[in-house]
Amino acid sequence: MSQKNMRLKLLLQDLAEEAAQEFDDTCTFDCHIPWVRGAKIHKLFEHKVKLAGNGFDAEVSYLNGSRVNHGRKGSSRADAIYGLPAAPEFAIELKTGYFAFVSDRQINNYKQNLPSNTVLYLMWVR
């Protein structure tokens, strides 16, 4: 990983951790429902990534190497990207919680769907 991408990935990790902390600091019973907590952290993360500007974007979908509309059957949706949306330098798959995992199927879908030369980084916040 290049020094530049390392710095950018660390910035996104910080934004994800901020999103998780913000949610945890303000939640009530929601903190104890994993899928609710995860969805709300992802929404906060999306907002923070879009505010970061400068080549960052969030919730971008790809199918067979091309950008497609959200929800397109068979597509993979990156939680964050850096670079030109048509050919990002890297994409982020964010997982939240202690039991979150990335399946082999999800990894294979990303490999098939992301534009060539796009690196996929996995990121967790607990």
Side-chain angles (χ1 to χ4, degrees):
M1 177 182 323
S2 72
Q3 291 286 25
K4 174 187 162 193
N5 283 1
M6 175 81 78
R7 276 192 332 274
L8 296 171
K9 184 178 177 240
L10 288 173
L11 170 69
L12 290 172
Q13 180 73 45
D14 287 345
L15 293 178
E17 289 172 5
E18 283 177 21
Q21 191 63 54
E22 278 181 33
F23 176 72
D24 290 343
D25 286 349
T26 61
C27 72
T28 55
F29 68 93
D30 291 354
C31 290
H32 304 292
I33 305 170
W35 56 89
V36 172
R37 180 178 182 266
K40 292 192 177 187
I41 290 170
H42 273 82
K43 196 67 175 165
L44 288 168
F45 179 64
E46 175 186 1
H47 180 70
K48 289 176 177 298
V49 169
K50 288 183 176 185
L51 285 177
N54 297 326
F56 291 105
D57 203 353
E59 300 297 324
V60 182
S61 296
Y62 295 95
L63 181 64
N64 298 323
S66 297
R67 186 174 182 181
V68 295
N69 291 332
H70 170 75
R72 179 96 176 259
K73 186 175 174 72
S75 66
S76 297
R77 186 173 61 233
D79 294 308
I81 63 162
Y82 176 76
L84 297 173
E89 289 183 39
F90 65 83
I92 298 287
E93 172 60 28
L94 175 64
K95 294 297 183 185
T96 62
Y98 290 100
F99 303 108
F101 69 97
V102 181
S103 70
D104 289 341
R105 180 176 179 222
Q106 190 173 18
I107 297 258
N108 289 333
N109 285 343
Y110 267 118
K111 285 179 182 177
Q112 176 183 338
N113 290 324
L114 286 174
S116 62
N117 299 321
T118 301
V119 177
L120 176 65
Y121 295 130
L122 307 177
M123 185 179 295
W124 282 265
V125 292
R126 303 294 180 200

